[in-house]
Amino acid sequence: EPEVTQTPSHQVTQMGQEVILRCVPISNHLYFYWYRQILGQKVEFLVSFYNNEISEKSEIFDDQFSVERPDGSNFTLKIRSTKLEDSAMYFCASSDGLKSSYEQYFGPGTRLTVT
Amino acid sequence: AQSVTQLGSHVSVSEGALVLLRCNYSSSVPPYLFWYVQYPNQGLQLLLKYTSAATLVKGINGFEAEFKKSETSFHLTKPSAHMRDAAEYFCAVTFYGNNRLAFGKGNQVVVIP
């Protein structure tokens, strides 16, 4: 069964450094998403991406964040100048966009620890 | 904006007993509703979804949920809990499809032998 994959599974970085989180969505999907889950809190939407551009972003997704689809398979989230409060589990998701389901398939997540 | 309310962060249930997790949503237009499960150190797995078809939805692992528009609810049930059901469960809502999912705070289910 096709699945969303994410690398790395765990990333430790120092405050102020830049990190890139990588995702490989399901191959025929058209919509891509990033969510995050701070420990003990709810899963929060960050950004959605369609047709090579951001379709929606939350108030969390400020200039510190950027997304890119550098090739036909990868979808990346870049966090510039990381802060302690960026420590969280980051989930990538993808969707085929069909009205029959609107289901988003989630990857296993990348745990980001900022020290 | 759409939102989801899940009450009671921790839910303890005896093995073999009914599992009932409550979810109420707020949406000004017909919603699409989902329940996801998260096992320890894993990602989010879809349990079931409501997308304006049948109001009683059956999902994986014996779970089901009923959409009640009059109560703006989408409660998740399972008649008989198993030890393997110990996990965190999230209700989520979206509308018009392909938009952001808004998640509830989640219910951590503990199954007591």
Side-chain angles (χ1 to χ4, degrees):
Chain A
E1 185 177 335
E3 58 182 19
V4 176
T5 59
Q6 291 184 244
T7 54
S9 57
H10 192 189
Q11 173 92 47
V12 181
T13 189
Q14 289 189 329
M15 197 166 49
Q17 297 297 304
E18 175 182 287
V19 295
I20 297 176
L21 309 184
R22 292 181 167 80
C23 168
V24 178
I26 295 173
S27 62
N28 63 339
H29 283 188
L30 303 175
Y31 293 82
F32 314 113
Y33 310 83
W34 283 101
Y35 293 83
R36 78 173 184 189
Q37 183 182 28
I38 295 172
L39 188 63
Q41 298 186 23
K42 65 169 68 176
V43 177
E44 302 173 292
F45 169 79
L46 292 177
V47 65
S48 59
F49 193 86
Y50 170 72
N51 200 25
N52 286 318
E53 61 183 24
I54 291 174
S55 52
E56 188 183 8
K57 61 182 181 179
S58 73
E59 56 279 3
I60 302 169
F61 194 88
D62 59 21
D63 293 342
Q64 184 193 7
F65 296 89
S66 62
V67 289
E68 192 178 31
R69 189 156 163 82
D71 52 42
S73 60
N74 290 284
F75 179 51
T76 62
L77 173 69
K78 182 188 290 185
I79 309 174
R80 288 179 281 274
S81 189
T82 50
K83 298 175 281 192
L84 293 176
E85 52 265 40
D86 295 327
S87 295
M89 181 73 88
Y90 288 81
F91 292 106
C92 173
S94 68
S95 168
D96 59 15
L98 295 178
K99 291 183 178 181
S100 60
S101 68
Y102 293 135
E103 178 179 344
Q104 295 182 23
Y105 293 78
F106 284 78
T110 293
R111 181 168 298 283
L112 177 64
T113 302
V114 182
T115 62
Chain B
Q2 73 272 34
S3 65
V4 164
T5 301
Q6 288 181 254
L7 298 177
S9 60
H10 284 75
V11 176
S12 293
V13 59
S14 297
E15 191 175 14
L18 171 72
V19 179
L20 170 60
L21 303 179
R22 299 179 187 275
C23 172
N24 288 90
Y25 68 91
S26 171
S27 175
S28 57
V29 297
Y32 296 87
L33 293 154
F34 306 84
W35 275 98
Y36 283 86
V37 60
Q38 185 180 28
Y39 297 102
N41 299 315
Q42 294 188 28
L44 299 166
Q45 181 182 4
L46 184 71
L47 271 181
L48 47 77
K49 61 193 177 193
Y50 167 76
T51 55
S52 74
T55 56
L56 181 61
V57 180
K58 294 186 184 297
I60 62 172
N61 300 339
F63 283 93
E64 63 181 39
E66 185 172 9
F67 172 71
K68 291 186 177 180
K69 184 178 179 180
S70 61
E71 299 177 8
T72 60
S73 68
F74 190 58
H75 302 333
L76 180 71
T77 60
K78 180 174 180 177
S80 177
H82 291 101
M83 296 301 295
R84 62 176 176 265
D85 295 326
E88 190 152 22
Y89 293 80
F90 295 93
C91 185
V93 64
T94 189
F95 63 94
Y96 296 141
N98 301 318
N99 290 328
R100 65 172 74 186
L101 285 172
F103 284 84
K105 290 185 176 182
N107 292 121
Q108 184 69 51
V109 172
V110 175
V111 182
I112 303 167

